[in-house]
Amino acid sequence: MMTGSVREDGFPSSGNRDMSPEQRVPEWGGDHLADPTGDGPDPDGDLLGVDPTELTDEDLIREMHSLHRTRLDTLRHAADSALANHLRRTAELETEYLARHPGREIDPSRLRGV
């Protein structure tokens, strides 16, 4: 019987298409203590990055541009801990944007037929 190989972290080496990126990254879910690289909390125990609620609209947009610009490279080449941090930060910033702009303008050309 043939079975797929398993990496040291317990995930199948070929990846599981039924799992989201967040589920495939061991550090996702806030387990920063499992991250020996120091990419998790700073020495004071705070997560990296300014609290999105403290950013101006201009800074919030700039931060989102930066994350989206580096998204593919991070997804393809970064360590799991860096990808987890990228996913966490993107979610924080986008959640704050949506909270500030609940009635954001929707471009009709971006809608799919229902």
Side-chain angles (χ1 to χ4, degrees):
M1 175 192 322
M2 241 178 140
T3 60
S5 63
V6 176
R7 301 181 336 206
E8 282 183 32
D9 59 10
F11 293 102
S13 58
S14 61
N16 183 341
R17 295 184 191 269
D18 296 333
M19 294 171 63
S20 70
E22 295 86 355
Q23 292 168 319
R24 288 192 298 263
V25 178
E27 290 84 8
W28 184 259
D31 186 11
H32 341 295
L33 300 177
D35 178 14
T37 65
D39 288 339
D42 69 18
D44 298 325
D46 297 326
L47 291 176
L48 298 175
V50 175
D51 182 344
T53 61
E54 296 177 11
L55 296 172
T56 65
D57 281 350
E58 183 178 315
D59 290 338
L60 181 63
I61 295 292
R62 187 191 73 245
E63 290 290 317
M64 287 192 302
H65 271 288
S66 176
L67 282 169
H68 286 271
R69 188 178 61 252
T70 60
R71 174 73 179 144
L72 183 58
D73 190 53
T74 303
L75 178 64
R76 294 184 65 209
H77 305 293
D80 285 348
S81 59
L83 177 58
N85 190 55
H86 194 276
L87 291 167
R88 176 196 55 80
R89 186 63 175 166
T90 301
E92 288 175 352
L93 294 170
E94 289 179 351
T95 298
E96 177 61 22
Y97 178 84
L98 291 173
R100 291 184 192 187
H101 304 280
R104 69 192 198 287
E105 183 179 330
I106 306 297
D107 181 350
S109 69
R110 301 278 311 207
L111 298 176
R112 295 176 187 221
V114 204

